[in-house]
Amino acid sequence: MRAPLCLLLLVAHAVDMLALNRRKKQVGTGLGGNCTGCIICSEENGCSTCQQRLFLFIRREGIRQYGKCLHDCPPGYFGIRGQEVNRCKKCGATCESCFSQDFCIRCKRQFYLYKGKCLPTCPPGTLAHQNTRECQERSPSQKKGRKDRRPRKDRKLDRRLDVRPRQPGLQP
């Protein structure tokens, strides 16, 4: 008679422990290694709600996603503060690091940074700086064609006097 009673108590204890274990997986206190900074955490999906000043970063792997609470968003992401949740959002496709969706800080390898945008080539009037991958404004002495041109004042004087440069091979 004692053996069945012990077996019954053992099964009841196992069922109780299983239910307790399931509750721990659904809602964590944030004390575990993977749930640091979380208010709500699950073993399968990580954090779904973070403490007030932290950012929720959701990492996607195939069809699964896993949340983590961070002080700062990782490279390639920027933080958006909201009323209920702060989130990490991915930078634009050409951007390696950004301040917001519309303002890049560093571009991916084949692009150049110009006024917060990542461009395949630098716009006219700028030079590509290879080390920083940034477009820099040209100084007046670097602008194409400016060295050989005469000051505008001299050209106006030539027009008034109707002095035109001769073309080679033509007689006056």
Side-chain angles (χ1 to χ4, degrees):
M1 197 74 171
R2 269 181 134 182
L5 184 59
C6 285
L7 186 59
L8 183 63
L9 286 172
L10 184 62
V11 169
H13 180 69
V15 168
D16 190 37
M17 291 302 288
L18 184 62
L20 179 65
N21 192 28
R22 277 195 186 135
R23 270 186 264 136
K24 281 184 181 176
K25 283 183 182 177
Q26 289 173 354
V27 180
T29 60
L31 298 175
N34 293 334
C35 294
T36 303
C38 297
I39 293 173
I40 299 175
C41 183
S42 76
E43 192 173 294
E44 293 82 24
N45 297 331
C47 298
S48 60
T49 307
C50 297
Q51 293 173 7
Q52 189 175 16
R53 290 194 167 105
L54 301 179
F55 291 98
L56 178 61
F57 171 63
I58 297 177
R59 185 182 74 231
R60 290 178 174 80
E61 294 175 3
I63 60 170
R64 291 199 49 158
Q65 60 183 28
Y66 188 83
K68 191 172 184 179
C69 295
L70 305 169
H71 288 280
D72 297 303
C73 295
Y77 292 82
F78 64 98
I80 297 179
R81 296 205 181 269
Q83 287 182 323
E84 294 186 24
V85 67
N86 301 326
R87 293 186 181 275
C88 292
K89 190 171 178 187
K90 196 165 182 57
C91 295
T94 59
C95 200
E96 188 176 294
S97 180
C98 62
F99 178 73
S100 70
Q101 186 70 42
D102 300 323
F103 197 89
C104 261
I105 298 169
R106 179 179 288 131
C107 298
K108 289 187 176 174
R109 191 175 189 123
Q110 61 268 48
F111 297 94
Y112 294 91
L113 182 65
Y114 181 69
K115 295 186 177 180
K117 304 282 183 208
C118 293
L119 308 171
T121 59
C122 288
T126 64
L127 292 172
H129 191 273
Q130 295 302 320
N131 292 342
T132 62
R133 308 275 315 158
E134 293 178 7
C135 301
Q136 297 176 338
E137 300 288 331
R138 289 183 178 164
S139 67
S141 64
Q142 292 175 318
K143 291 192 177 176
K144 287 185 179 177
R146 293 275 181 188
K147 292 180 202 171
D148 300 355
R149 296 179 91 185
R150 292 186 297 175
R152 183 173 270 163
K153 190 172 29 173
D154 291 346
R155 285 183 290 171
K156 284 182 182 177
L157 183 62
D158 286 348
R159 273 190 229 127
R160 277 193 221 133
L161 298 172
D162 198 23
V163 176
R164 295 182 189 153
R166 290 190 212 169
Q167 293 180 348
L170 294 177
Q171 297 293 327

